[in-house]
Amino acid sequence: MRADRFLRETTGIFRREGIESPRLDAELILARVLRQGRFHAYLDPFRYLKRRELELMRTLVKERARRVPLAYLLKEKEFMGLSFYVTKGTFIPRPETEIMVEALIATLKREFLLKKEGIKPVIVDVGTGCGNIALSLARFIKGARIYATDISRKALNTARRNLKRYGSNTVTLCHGDLLNPLPERVKGMVDFIVANLPYIRDDEFSFLGPELQYEPVVSLKGGPDGLNLYRRLLPQAHLYLRRGGYLFIEISPEQKESIIDIFARKFIIINIIRDYQGLERVVVLQRR
């Protein structure tokens, strides 16, 4: 089979199965198996696929048609221009989360421009998953001391693999619940906390599409109103942040008022940032 025919047939299969980006997914599968760039098929559309290549591609196509997330099949997901290893049992990074990371970077640069040179900010990434937020921050903010926590050992093993890939010596991985595994010495010393915690309501989880069923439930479901973990995070964040320190959290748009009610006593609402669809997605808070 030629590469162009594989793309046509696979795109048709994915379209019939209701996959959101059928052509793109077909291109990415082809590129991964051939170990070439995504657009190579357009440069050499008449290339005949080897039997081994075609067998592997068909296996991936079959799994994707069953709605297994493409990131799990390719074991890779791009975030902030970096490529991260992901595997089943690890939450897949979303493009919307890049908005939160970009906002934190902008706030940090503005904040620390006002301070003396040589001061190294302390950042905590809560529920780090594959480490995409922590390692992106390490790449774009030189010298920051970053702690990345997760309750899942499997997720931390994935994050450790990505840490080794990018060779960052400023990120420390910590196993445990929320901020509990942080060292005592950083209490009251943290400048920024970033948290993309589970915020899907229990009753809406089963209605959110077949692909989410493959991701770890612990990374998605947030209780009856989706905010259980954020309620638990509140006193811990207040304890570890310095006065004036910032907390960045990702939410579902309809949770904005509830989040404000939860955090209003101990935090000032600085900003609410919309995602690419214009929905309120990121809340920026500052410790009173």
Side-chain angles (χ1 to χ4, degrees), residues 62-191:
K62 183 178 179 180
E63 289 294 290
R64 185 68 185 109
R66 291 177 51 233
R67 305 306 290 272
V68 176
L70 187 63
Y72 288 155
L73 297 176
L74 303 184
K75 299 188 183 302
E76 185 177 69
K77 182 67 175 179
E78 184 176 305
F79 184 85
M80 294 292 292
L82 303 174
S83 178
F84 290 93
Y85 172 75
V86 295
T87 185
K88 290 181 179 179
T90 306
F91 181 69
I92 300 171
R94 269 40 175 199
E96 293 80 5
T97 306
E98 294 183 354
I99 296 171
M100 182 164 63
V101 175
E102 291 167 350
L104 191 155
I105 292 170
T107 303
L108 187 148
K109 289 183 176 180
R110 184 174 65 250
E111 175 86 1
F112 281 79
L113 278 175
L114 303 177
K115 297 185 175 184
K116 297 178 182 178
E117 290 186 15
I119 295 178
K120 296 182 179 180
V122 179
I123 305 172
V124 178
D125 172 24
V126 189
T128 193
C130 70
N132 57 298
I133 291 178
L135 290 168
S136 295
L137 291 172
R139 174 60 62 94
F140 291 102
I141 305 169
K142 302 301 182 183
R145 178 76 260 170
I146 302 171
Y147 296 90
T149 77
D150 206 294
I151 198 170
S152 167
R153 289 192 182 277
K154 188 168 186 178
L156 283 178
N157 287 337
T158 302
R160 194 168 288 112
R161 180 164 173 168
N162 285 314
L163 180 61
K164 185 177 181 180
R165 172 187 288 188
Y166 289 110
S168 174
N169 59 4
T170 63
V171 176
T172 301
L173 301 178
C174 307
H175 175 250
D177 184 47
L178 299 179
L179 303 185
N180 288 336
L182 293 180
E184 284 284 323
R185 65 178 179 274
V186 301
K187 282 186 177 178
M189 303 293 292
V190 175
D191 298 289

